[in-house]
């Protein structure tokens, strides 16, 4: 369903063909502005989020991106699987089935999952991770029928309590490997994984099994803001060796979209076209050019 | 040099004999207030920090804790070894030699090391960790002569860029194991390590080799404050299964001090004696009593 991205020996142009703009990077843009802005910049892929798509209407959003010739490289996000309360759990599964349908309608094969944190009062990380596995078991066949792959995203360990009990690529793969690779994959996001000295071997593990469902970029900058949600850095501004990550993911055989997903209010205050131009320039400088 | 802490089968009283109060938990207290408050509460161990000790005077602080019958269970902190500039590097080593002398004077055998972050503009985590190893190589013999063991503290991955490139107990052990166990150990701090699903086996690895130099407690609470330095939780207020950690460290053979180190302005606003009483009550509830 998604656009074919080029593989093989890649120069600057081919790699840019794999560039995708996650809409949270330019949150100031409406969906029509996003479609128009991407078309003007020659961007062929976008990552979408459920809330703005629902607000615009799933069918209308689908038509909009189709008319603009844009591929939807991923939909964020399903997940939040860790509730132990049966009603909350059933609600979460129903919401995830809706997310799968939305992904399918939008023509993307990738639904990004943020697993969820610890239920209130719980200290049982292991149990929470097992509930993630249980939810995957229920959802994976449903997703497969809809042509959608579930993509487990490990989030930085600073989110382990309140957002995502899956903190490393190794943990994400431990979960994903209980299922066929075409049904459950993982997300490699530089912001969440850059600090981990085992990440090279885990990317190889993910890639060799065809489990890399998405590759997302943001840089790590400090100091972190309160709540630590909106402090991601523009590419090149921080501590992450983005080119190293790209080379690792390349070497592991991944040939799919490379999505830029930066949550940062300082980017949202500027004109979207200016931000996108800067992102493309940074992408070229920090990922494409040979050192 | 440090007080003998009881081992073997432990009831509530024996475990409390291993309790130590890190002075940052009651930062509102001067050193004399700390010594007096601990004596009144029956606390026998304290963890000290260099800046307040230097301000009071190392010799005077040594006399003060000795007169109060307090054992200094650790001194925080040496480290910040990651500079690549030769002058900065030499300054850091000189400062660490001073820290070793201060630890020796205070009668503690444990100098806690916070390794340091990435130098400005660098993205080379591997290189920074190797410079930590180089510094350990220079300092370990000097420390051993002074009767002080260097204790590498892995800090939470959210500090990897700006404070400590050693983020996991596995990484800390990889560094420590290049040296004899009596010269270089590791710190197990629940706040930094609770999220890691390999922590049980790494504690076993550390304990079986006699490398656990310190065991420190704080809970993980959210939302994190801006800068993420002062958001540690009172024991029992957060996501960490403290008793599980205590059992793991016990099973790994550790019989040393258990130090409570909470950086939280809401504790500093209250009377120190009230905070200490609460810490002791939480320690008893969450670590000692059988589930």
């Amino acid at each position: 369903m998604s656009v074919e991205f080029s593989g093989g020996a890649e120069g600057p142009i081919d790699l840019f063909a794999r560039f995708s703009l996650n809409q949270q990077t330019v949150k100031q843009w409406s969906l029509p502005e996003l479609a128009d802005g991407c078309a003007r910049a020659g961007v062929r892929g976008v990552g979408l989020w459920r809330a703005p798509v629902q607000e615009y209407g799933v069918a209308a959003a689908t038509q909009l991106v189709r008319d603009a010739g844009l591929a939807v490289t991923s939909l964020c996000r399903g997940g939040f699987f860790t509730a132990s309360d049966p009603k909350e759990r059933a609600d979460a599964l129903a919401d995830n089935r809706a997310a799968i349908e939305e992904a399918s309608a939008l023509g993307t094969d990738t639904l990004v999952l943020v697993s969820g944190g610890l239920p209130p009062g719980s200290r049982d990380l292991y149990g929470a991770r097992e509930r993630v596995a249980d939810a995957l078991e229920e959802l994976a066949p449903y997703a497969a029928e809809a042509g959608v792959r579930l993509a487990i995203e490990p989030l930085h360990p600073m989110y382990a309590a309140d957002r995502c009990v899956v903190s490393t690529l190794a943990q994400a793969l431990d979960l994903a490997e209980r299922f066929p690779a075409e049904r459950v994959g993982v997300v490699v996001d530089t912001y969440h994984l850059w600090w981990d000295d085992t990440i090279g071997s885990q990317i190889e593990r993910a890639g060799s099994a065809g489990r890399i469902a998405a590759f997302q970029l943001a840089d790590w900058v400090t100091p972190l803001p309160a709540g630590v949600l909106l402090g991601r850095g523009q590419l090149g501004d921080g501590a992450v060796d983005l080119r190293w990550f790209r080379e690792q993911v390349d070497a592991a055989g991944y040939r799919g979209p490379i999505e830029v997903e930066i949550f940062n209010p300082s980017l949202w205050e500027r004109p979207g076209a200016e931000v996108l131009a800067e992102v493309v320039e940074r992408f070229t400088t920090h990922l494409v050019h040979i050192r």
Side-chain angles (χ1 to χ4, degrees), chain A:
Chain A
M1 291 195 207
S2 56
V3 80
E4 289 301 312
F5 286 96
S6 63
E10 292 174 310
I13 294 163
D14 285 335
L15 202 67
F16 181 67
R18 292 166 58 192
F19 175 92
S20 171
L21 178 67
N22 188 286
Q23 75 173 125
Q24 286 288 320
T25 309
V26 286
K27 198 183 173 182
Q28 62 274 51
W29 265 350
S30 67
L31 269 175
E33 286 169 338
L34 178 72
D36 183 58
C38 285
R40 286 174 190 272
V43 169
R44 295 166 52 194
V46 288
L48 299 181
W49 280 64
R50 292 183 70 200
V53 165
Q54 287 169 350
E55 198 180 322
Y56 192 77
V58 177
T62 302
Q63 194 61 49
L64 182 76
V65 293
R66 194 164 294 167
D67 291 348
L70 283 168
V72 180
T73 55
S74 72
L75 180 65
C76 276
R77 60 185 189 223
F80 292 89
F81 294 134
T82 49
S84 42
D85 175 75
K87 167 81 167 72
E88 280 181 53
R89 184 168 174 73
D91 287 352
L93 289 172
D95 188 53
N96 275 277
R97 281 188 282 267
I100 289 163
E101 284 156 22
E102 290 160 24
S104 180
L106 289 163
T108 180
D109 55 7
T110 304
L111 177 63
V112 174
L113 304 179
V114 173
S115 295
L118 290 169
S122 170
R123 300 184 179 106
D124 181 12
L125 280 171
Y126 174 82
R129 290 178 188 132
E130 283 307 304
R131 289 195 295 282
V132 175
D134 293 346
L136 291 170
E137 181 119 28
E138 291 206 36
L139 292 170
Y142 188 85
E145 270 185 44
V148 173
R149 182 153 72 152
L150 303 175
I152 305 169
E153 179 163 20
L155 258 57
H156 193 283
M158 69 187 177
Y159 302 115
D162 55 357
R163 189 157 295 266
C164 186
V165 293
V166 179
S167 304
T168 63
L169 191 57
Q171 288 175 347
L173 287 165
D174 289 345
L175 284 166
E177 286 168 0
R178 303 188 192 189
F179 306 92
E182 67 276 15
R183 291 194 172 188
V184 181
V186 295
V187 180
V188 175
D189 184 316
T190 60
Y191 186 76
H192 298 301
L193 305 174
W194 73 279
W195 58 272
D196 183 353
D197 64 345
T198 71
I199 190 62
S201 58
Q202 294 300 326
I203 287 173
E204 190 184 345
R205 173 183 168 197
S208 65
R211 298 247 178 214
I212 302 177
F215 178 37
Q216 296 184 326
L217 305 178
D219 214 332
W220 180 274
V221 291
T222 56
L224 294 167
V228 301
L229 274 178
L230 305 180
R232 300 194 191 186
Q234 173 63 283
L235 310 184
D237 280 353
V240 182
D241 190 338
L242 296 166
R243 187 179 287 100
W244 182 89
F245 260 91
R246 199 267 289 170
E247 288 168 353
Q248 297 300 117
V249 168
D250 279 359
Y254 178 73
R255 298 287 179 269
I258 305 173
E259 201 176 283
V260 177
E261 185 187 50
I262 306 170
F263 309 160
N264 194 314
S266 75
L267 297 185
W268 301 337
E269 286 164 5
R270 295 163 54 191
E274 181 186 307
V275 171
L276 176 52
E278 186 178 84
V279 165
V280 168
E281 184 262 323
R282 297 296 185 93
F283 181 89
T284 308
T285 303
H286 293 280
L287 268 83
V288 180
H289 287 153
I290 311 299
R291 291 178 217 249

